[in-house]
Amino acid sequence: MNKQQILRNRPHGLPDENTWELIETETPTIGENEILVKNKYISLDPAMRGWMNDAKSYLPPVQIDDVMRALTVGEVVESKNDKFKKGDFVCGTGGVQEYTATDGRGFYKVDPNLAPLETYTGTIGMPGLTAYFGLLEVGALKEGETVLVSGAAGAVGSVVGQIAKIKNCKVVGIAGGAEKCAYLVDELGFDHAIDYKNEKVVHKIHEYCPDGVDVYFDNVGGEILDAALTAINKNARVVICGAISQYNATEKPKGPANYLSLLVNRARMEGFIIIDYAKRYQEGLSQMGQWVAEGKIKPKETVFEGIENFREIFLKLFSGDKKGKLVLKV
Amino acid sequence: MNKQQILRNRPHGLPDENTWELIETETPTIGENEILVKNKYISLDPAMRGWMNDAKSYLPPVQIDDVMRALTVGEVVESKNDKFKKGDFVCGTGGVQEYTATDGRGFYKVDPNLAPLETYTGTIGMPGLTAYFGLLEVGALKEGETVLVSGAAGAVGSVVGQIAKIKNCKVVGIAGGAEKCAYLVDELGFDHAIDYKNEKVVHKIHEYCPDGVDVYFDNVGGEILDAALTAINKNARVVICGAISQYNATEKPKGPANYLSLLVNRARMEGFIIIDYAKRYQEGLSQMGQWVAEGKIKPKETVFEGIENFREIFLKLFSGDKKGKLVLKV
């Protein structure tokens, strides 16, 4: 049998007990050219919240009564496709379910001997690629610059900061709580961390970045984005990767009131979507894998178990009750 | 004697009768290497409002009890500088006064036979350069794209639209009132114009740009910027040239609530300041002069007279009570 989380109702605000339904169906059979994947880990990402809205976006919304969309890493247990064989481990959009039947499009193989499987949902996966291309391409980071990153203890933000340190930059992270801040500085080598739950963010940014911010990598939006805009340098780049503070907003979000700082500082604010870099994934994954192997980047996952606990674990993305990549073990 | 408008008090909101004082002083005498310029036209620009605020910006604020800063075009009436001779006409930052003594830094000669002097405060001056570099460099305009411009009947916006037409683009302008809108379409060749005072801007943008907007050139900020963000295309460029709706705000302005459209559309929002293009002014002025000579761009100035009327005329920038470039004839 195949346990699946089905989208039943689009949430208004945070997902609740009516949003998804756990059902059991027959394990799918595969057709010509298909593979059957037994999902081992389900990646829980803030972007999933956006996929649930009935709005034009970079991907079509998850349809009502469809399996909830999610990235996964799993094992090929049956193959009628020449590109994959039984026993291969693969990443792809497997969905919140135990088994996925697919023609393999968008799936790629990963090596469980190089890194634990769950790391392929994080640092050597989409979040790592998002940090890599977002910081180096969209952010156009140069050696020696000052980088400020929000959501800094998260799957993307923690990697952004570590890549920036590899590039000899000064790095300041913003995260929620003293424990996360200590983790950033003591374990990941950030120069400073700001605890937005207990410190005045705008003051601390100016204290820690007296020469201004060259790249602000934003994962959160809201007041923290506005605070960061007060500290950007001439020709700064503000990378809009996400806005987790806004994803469950039930009222129209506040825009960044300080956006005219972009004018005064001849700066740019730019959004990006990682799928536009699909042709360069291999380059990014190789580099991330190498940095992990060299110990220059430390992967971090918080793993919870049980597909039946999906909703409650998913909500930890928004409560901040995790460090690094949030992963659901099937 | 030299009439001067002196900044006495920084305004909170719109400048009022306490903001400037008209005084008369001795006509200045010039020293070694200096010139004396008799100002003929004083350029009235929205940026001047920003220069009055006591805030860090791209130029230092005008100091209290100093002559109000302004661009001017005037005639050299005395010269001890080899680069200029008596009878030359020059543009520079002459200030709101009848006579300017200067060492000539930042001043350049203009030819009164090629265009009326007042045009050098507009289409063949800073506003024209702002349109040229803002649209083509910051906006990275490509042939055949769709351009939306706000403040479209103003000194910069009207030129933005005309350059975009030269580049075979579709052009939609946003302006206040039916007369200005008719001017944009009938006289300047815009494809459509939206009257923000009488029409629902967001609906009209989508009606006139069914295939979306590739470059949005923003002179106004506020709700119109927010409306434009709902219509941008993938990889769109939002050029932040100004935000005239916000310059006299007495409360913190609203930011663009729809800024996450930049993420979904992998778009960028970028500010710029024309002085960064100083090394390329000659290129821009030559091109603008050529387009004007060829009749491809129609300069437009609204000229009022009398340095004693400076404040009341300056306020027309914000009331919208003018077309094209607002100029004060000395």
Side-chain angles (χ1 to χ4, degrees), chain A:
Chain A
M1 298 297 283
N2 184 24
K3 284 187 186 161
Q4 302 178 304
Q5 289 279 3
I6 304 295
L7 181 65
R8 292 294 189 210
N9 294 288
R10 300 197 185 283
H12 180 70
L14 282 173
D16 63 21
E17 59 278 6
N18 298 313
T19 304
W20 294 286
E21 184 187 359
L22 180 71
I23 66 168
E24 282 197 67
T25 57
E26 294 286 324
T27 302
T29 54
I30 57 173
E32 208 48 47
N33 214 35
E34 290 194 326
I35 57 176
L36 183 67
V37 181
K38 185 174 196 320
N39 295 316
K40 300 285 189 182
Y41 293 94
I42 295 170
S43 178
L44 302 184
D45 298 284
M48 294 165 71
R49 181 63 188 82
W51 300 342
M52 302 169 73
N53 295 332
D54 190 18
K56 181 169 170 272
S57 190
Y58 62 97
L59 285 178
V62 180
Q63 296 301 305
I64 296 295
D65 298 335
D66 271 4
V67 175
M68 180 61 199
R69 184 188 296 149
L71 300 178
T72 53
V73 52
E75 183 178 358
V76 176
V77 292
E78 202 185 335
S79 176
K80 297 183 179 177
N81 182 311
D82 292 344
K83 291 189 199 135
F84 301 94
K85 62 177 195 298
K86 192 175 162 180
D88 281 348
F89 288 90
V90 293
C91 278
T93 306
V96 186
Q97 56 186 342
E98 291 179 294
Y99 290 93
T100 306
T102 169
D103 62 7
R105 271 187 298 179
F107 281 74
Y108 58 91
K109 283 184 240 186
V110 297
D111 184 344
N113 298 313
L114 290 182
L117 279 182
E118 59 270 33
T119 301
Y120 293 107
T121 70
T123 304
I124 315 180
M126 286 301 148
L129 290 170
T130 299
Y132 180 81
F133 290 110
L135 183 63
L136 302 182
E137 297 293 322
V138 187
L141 186 70
K142 292 189 277 289
E143 297 255 341
E145 291 191 317
T146 296
V147 175
L148 178 69
V149 55
S150 61
V156 174
S158 61
V159 179
V160 165
Q162 291 177 87
I163 295 175
K165 287 311 298 179
I166 292 171
K167 299 292 181 185
N168 299 311
C169 290
K170 175 173 175 174
V171 178
V172 178
I174 305 172
E179 193 208 335
K180 284 181 182 174
C181 286
Y183 160 71
L184 294 179
V185 173
D186 299 341
E187 293 189 44
L188 302 187
F190 282 47
D191 295 281
H192 302 280
I194 299 169
D195 174 3
Y196 77 87
K197 291 186 175 170
N198 296 296
E199 296 183 301
K200 184 88 179 164
V201 173
V202 69
H203 293 175
K204 284 289 172 183
I205 292 173
H206 288 269
E207 178 183 334
Y208 293 146
C209 308
D211 298 322
V213 171
D214 300 300
V215 174
Y216 172 54
F217 194 105
D218 190 33
N219 291 304
V220 305
E223 288 176 13
I224 290 177
L225 169 57
D226 235 1
L229 284 169
T230 68
I232 59 173
N233 280 335
K234 190 175 168 189
N235 300 132
R237 287 81 67 198
V238 176
V239 180
I240 302 294
C241 177
I244 201 166
S245 73
Q246 306 299 314
Y247 289 166
N248 294 290
T250 52
E251 293 178 9
K252 187 158 181 172
K254 269 182 42 179
N258 296 324
Y259 85 101
L260 284 177
S261 177
L262 298 175
L263 193 164
V264 173
N265 293 299
R266 305 84 148 156
R268 72 166 186 252
M269 180 186 286
E270 185 164 357
F272 76 107
I273 303 283
I274 189 60
I275 56 179
D276 293 342
Y277 291 88
K279 287 186 180 157
R280 295 179 60 190
Y281 281 175
Q282 211 44 61
E283 166 202 336
L285 292 171
S286 300
Q287 180 63 80
M288 294 306 302
Q290 188 189 326
W291 280 333
V292 169
E294 293 170 352
K296 291 181 176 168
I297 290 187
K298 296 176 184 166
K300 175 79 180 173
E301 302 89 24
T302 302
V303 180
F304 293 92
E305 208 165 325
I307 203 165
E308 60 280 8
N309 304 320
F310 165 66
R311 180 174 69 91
E312 146 196 351
I313 300 165
F314 180 75
L315 291 179
K316 291 178 190 289
L317 287 172
F318 306 104
S319 64
D321 188 18
K322 54 99 196 171
K323 276 211 294 270
K325 183 67 183 78
L326 185 65
V327 191
L328 176 62
K329 187 174 181 186
V330 180

Side-chain angles (χ1 to χ4, degrees), chain B residues 203-275:
Chain B
H203 293 175
K204 284 289 172 183
I205 292 173
H206 287 269
E207 178 184 333
Y208 292 145
C209 308
D211 298 322
V213 171
D214 300 301
V215 174
Y216 172 54
F217 194 105
D218 190 32
N219 291 304
V220 304
E223 288 176 13
I224 290 177
L225 170 57
D226 234 1
L229 284 169
T230 68
I232 58 173
N233 280 335
K234 190 175 166 187
N235 299 132
R237 286 81 68 200
V238 177
V239 180
I240 302 294
C241 178
I244 201 167
S245 73
Q246 307 299 314
Y247 290 166
N248 293 292
T250 51
E251 293 178 8
K252 187 157 180 173
K254 269 182 44 182
N258 296 323
Y259 84 101
L260 284 177
S261 178
L262 298 175
L263 193 164
V264 174
N265 293 299
R266 307 82 148 155
R268 73 165 186 252
M269 181 187 286
E270 185 164 358
F272 76 107
I273 304 283
I274 190 60
I275 55 180

Side-chain angles (χ1 to χ4, degrees), chain B residues 153-155 180 302 304 316-317 319-326:
Chain B
K180 284 182 182 174
T302 302
F304 293 91
K316 291 178 190 290
L317 287 171
S319 63
D321 188 18
K322 55 96 198 174
K323 276 211 295 272
K325 183 67 183 78
L326 185 65

